[in-house]
Amino acid sequence: MNAPDRYERFVVPEGTKKVSYERDTKIINAASFTVEREEHTIGNILRMQLHRDPNVLFAGYKLPHPLQYKIIVRIHTTSQSSPMQAYNQSINDLDRELDHLKNAFEAEMLKFSRDY
Amino acid sequence: MEGASYARMPRVKIRELKDDYAKFELRDTDASIANALRRVMIAEVPTIAIDLVEIEVNSSVLNDEFIAHRLGLIPLTSERAMSMRFSRDCDACDGDGQCEFCSVEFHLRVKCMTDQTLDVSSKDLYSSDHSVVPVDFSDPAATDSSENRGVIIVKLRRGQELRLRAIARKGIGKDHAKWSPAATVTFMYEPEIHINEDLMETLTLEEKREWVDSSPTRVFDIDPVTQQVMVVDSEAYSYDDEVIKKAEAMGKPGLVEIIAKQDSFIFTVESTGAIKASQLVLNAIEILKQKLDAVRLSEDTVEADDQFGELGAHMRGG
Ligand SMILES: [Zn+2]
């Protein structure tokens, strides 16, 4: 059949980097991150978390084509930060939020099984 | 800016919790997180499903691939899935799906010997692992065990036989929907409804009745004692704008204001039975964390940029 294998959508091919980084040649403190085998799930949470960072002037992501299994995250920051710093910070913050969410859900499950 | 954190601290309130159903409120976060959780629950939380079928005898009316497909769709109890390996990256076997780390073997041997049609169901599948078995859909409250039937695979008449060996593997819904643990996962924005009481009191009882009835879902009602319009079920509102249009048509714009709260969500999670609904939520959080960890910048990328930075600063005359 003339179709890509299904696993192509989520298995990073050997020799390909999961995340690659490219500085903007014209604008200082701007860069693009190419994330292989990811889509809206990661792209959108990163974008929204980056918007919470006051040093981020611009953050956006795109899925260039439905058959190109990658996203491009573009970040422009003030001189107080850098795209790389903002990117790392957004991942750390999301990780923290999810840790908190996990604990909150587990606590509620415990409470729920006691109360009902 | 070391130490600064822009992380949110979401709140959760569980409203209803059953083995295969959960309803909960998620607050103090945004739609991106709610949607990421929904997407991960549907497409990225792993389960175990039949993936390879070797048919020994099939004299049933359904062809081999039809049966193989039906077998794949049977939900299997998948508590083990999170700690299992994917066959494609199992080093104990060559991904041929024959080892305990990445696969579970099933056998099925049924032959119809009577004039009575024989139903072949998921109950006829014998597993090599007692923790990975077809999901039991029978009602635990029902005492009648004759109603205790599995998922039907095929029907046999006298003389017909089905004999096969099947290998179940770990997988995700993104690969094939048979691996999705989610029957449905939805979330809605929590509505906030404000009735303009002063304007409402300019309406006659009949007009109030007419306005209340303009909503396709039962969101409002009239208090039989005070004859005041009240919100009886704000979540029944489906953002259809009918009551707002009705108010305008009645010449009473602003009679009601309905806002979708941007940081409050009501989730409904239904599981196929492969894993518990509560576990599905927890696994989704875990998978999302793993995904985030995988998109961290690697050490060599950072180093390469540090060198570039020095070079750049040098070129800029720094
Ligand atoms: Zn293996």
Side-chain angles (χ1 to χ4, degrees), chain B residues 205-236:
Chain B
L205 185 58
E206 213 163 289
E207 284 174 316
K208 282 180 184 172
R209 187 83 261 164
E210 198 186 330
W211 182 78
V212 163
D213 290 342
S214 73
S215 177
T217 50
R218 200 170 159 273
V219 180
F220 306 94
D221 208 345
I222 298 170
D223 190 312
V225 183
T226 63
Q227 301 195 336
Q228 274 190 317
V229 174
M230 56 181 185
V231 178
V232 285
D233 184 5
S234 63
E235 283 161 34

Side-chain angles (χ1 to χ4, degrees), chain A residues 49-103:
Chain A
Q49 187 63 45
L50 283 160
H51 288 168
R52 292 176 62 80
D53 185 338
N55 286 317
V56 170
L57 299 172
F58 175 87
Y61 85 98
K62 67 174 171 182
L63 189 83
H65 186 98
L67 289 172
Q68 280 179 308
Y69 307 115
K70 64 176 182 191
I71 53 166
I72 295 160
V73 182
R74 203 180 135 73
I75 306 171
H76 183 188
T77 69
T78 63
S79 56
Q80 304 298 303
S81 183
S82 74
M84 218 179 244
Q85 195 187 321
Y87 182 85
N88 290 333
Q89 165 112 51
S90 71
I91 293 175
N92 291 337
D93 289 346
L94 283 168
D95 198 58
R96 227 194 241 204
E97 174 171 352
L98 290 172
D99 270 332
H100 178 86
L101 182 59
K102 183 171 178 275
N103 293 333

Side-chain angles (χ1 to χ4, degrees), chain B residues 85 87 90-95 97-103:
Chain B
R85 296 178 190 165
S87 290
C90 176
D91 11 296
C93 66
D94 293 324
Q98 316 251 347
C99 83
E100 56 176 334
F101 299 109
C102 69
S103 49

Side-chain angles (χ1 to χ4, degrees), chain A residues 6-7 9-11 17-21 23 28 33 35 37-42 44-46 48-49 52-55 80 84-85 87-89 91-102 104-106 108-109 112, chain B residues 1 4-10 12-17 24 26 28-30 32-33 36-37 39-40 44 88 172 174-176 179 278 281-282 285-286 288-289 291-292 294-298 300-302 305 308-309 316:
Chain A
R6 290 197 309 256
Y7 67 80
R9 289 176 50 178
F10 50 88
V11 179
K17 273 176 106 175
K18 180 77 179 175
V19 190
S20 50
Y21 166 87
R23 273 185 191 232
I28 199 158
F33 299 80
V35 188
R37 313 293 129 145
E38 291 298 343
E39 28 152 60
H40 302 286
T41 307
I42 287 294
N44 200 34
I45 54 171
L46 279 180
M48 294 311 284
Q49 187 63 45
R52 292 176 62 80
D53 185 338
N55 286 317
Q80 304 298 303
M84 218 179 244
Q85 195 187 321
Y87 182 85
N88 290 333
Q89 165 112 51
I91 293 175
N92 291 337
D93 289 346
L94 283 168
D95 198 58
R96 227 194 241 204
E97 174 171 352
L98 290 172
D99 270 332
H100 178 86
L101 182 59
K102 183 171 178 275
F105 195 86
E106 279 172 341
E108 261 294 293
M109 271 172 70
F112 196 86
Chain B
M1 286 276 279
S5 173
Y6 311 112
R8 282 164 302 212
M9 297 293 153
V12 177
K13 186 174 186 298
I14 297 177
R15 283 194 189 165
E16 227 182 310
L17 195 57
F24 63 94
L26 177 65
D28 298 344
T29 188
D30 71 0
S32 73
I33 291 289
L37 282 175
R39 287 172 65 95
V40 171
E44 300 194 61
R88 80 178 102 81
I172 58 171
K174 223 184 207 187
D175 190 344
H176 191 292
W179 276 299
S278 54
V281 178
L282 290 171
I285 298 170
E286 185 57 36
L288 198 51
K289 273 169 64 72
K291 282 171 75 72
L292 277 169
V295 302
R296 283 179 192 279
L297 286 161
S298 57
D300 56 328
T301 309
V302 180
D305 186 61
F308 183 94
R316 287 192 298 270

Side-chain angles (χ1 to χ4, degrees), chain B residues 262-282:
Chain B
Q262 296 299 305
D263 63 350
S264 288
F265 309 93
I266 299 147
F267 265 85
T268 309
V269 177
E270 276 180 69
S271 140
T272 59
I275 50 175
K276 284 184 179 174
S278 54
Q279 197 60 50
L280 175 51
V281 178
L282 290 171

